[in-house]
Amino acid sequence: MNFAVAIVSFYSNHCKYKDETRIIGKQLLRSGTSVAANFRAVTRGRSSAESYAKLCIVIEETDETLFWLELLKKAALIDVSQIEQLITEVTELLKIFSTTRKNWKR
């Protein structure tokens, strides 16, 4: 949830001013908040298989979020100092979720 709030805040503060950042920012907003929603679904799965499937979605959405952040950075649409913390955080989340999936007992 904290990560989703950070994404919403980032979008609100940095992505509304140019068409390019608004379009990419909306993609970021969708994928970044999806990470939290689908992770919640992992913890509430009715079976191990259902939770594992949701975890796979979490990883996909986390990776997509990283993509949009990297695109904003590499296209120089956002000041690096404004985006670096989110990139670090999403990279760490991706590592955690990927390790969890690798170690999942099915």
Side-chain angles (χ1 to χ4, degrees):
M1 181 72 74
N2 290 339
F3 179 71
V5 170
I7 291 292
V8 170
S9 178
F10 177 82
Y11 176 80
S12 294
N13 293 323
H14 302 290
C15 295
K16 292 182 173 183
Y17 306 107
K18 294 188 270 182
D19 285 341
E20 299 88 352
T21 57
R22 188 172 34 257
I23 292 165
I24 295 168
K26 284 184 180 182
Q27 293 292 110
L28 172 67
L29 190 60
R30 285 183 190 99
S31 64
T33 55
S34 179
V35 171
N38 280 294
F39 183 76
R40 184 177 179 150
V42 169
T43 65
R44 296 174 184 214
R46 293 171 288 191
S47 68
S48 180
E50 183 179 65
S51 292
Y52 182 83
K54 289 293 184 181
L55 180 60
C56 292
I57 294 169
V58 168
I59 292 168
E60 288 177 30
E61 294 294 336
T62 306
D63 188 49
E64 181 179 339
T65 301
L66 179 58
F67 172 82
W68 296 124
L69 289 167
E70 288 174 340
L71 181 60
L72 287 168
K73 178 182 174 182
K74 290 184 185 204
L77 295 171
I78 300 287
D79 180 26
V80 173
S81 67
Q82 302 296 322
I83 205 166
E84 208 57 51
Q85 178 60 37
L86 279 175
I87 289 174
T88 299
E89 187 172 353
V90 76
T91 300
E92 288 300 313
L93 287 172
L94 188 56
K95 289 176 185 176
I96 291 166
F97 297 144
S98 295
T99 299
T100 301
R101 179 176 62 180
K102 186 175 92 174
N103 295 326
W104 194 278
K105 305 232 186 303
R106 292 189 261 167

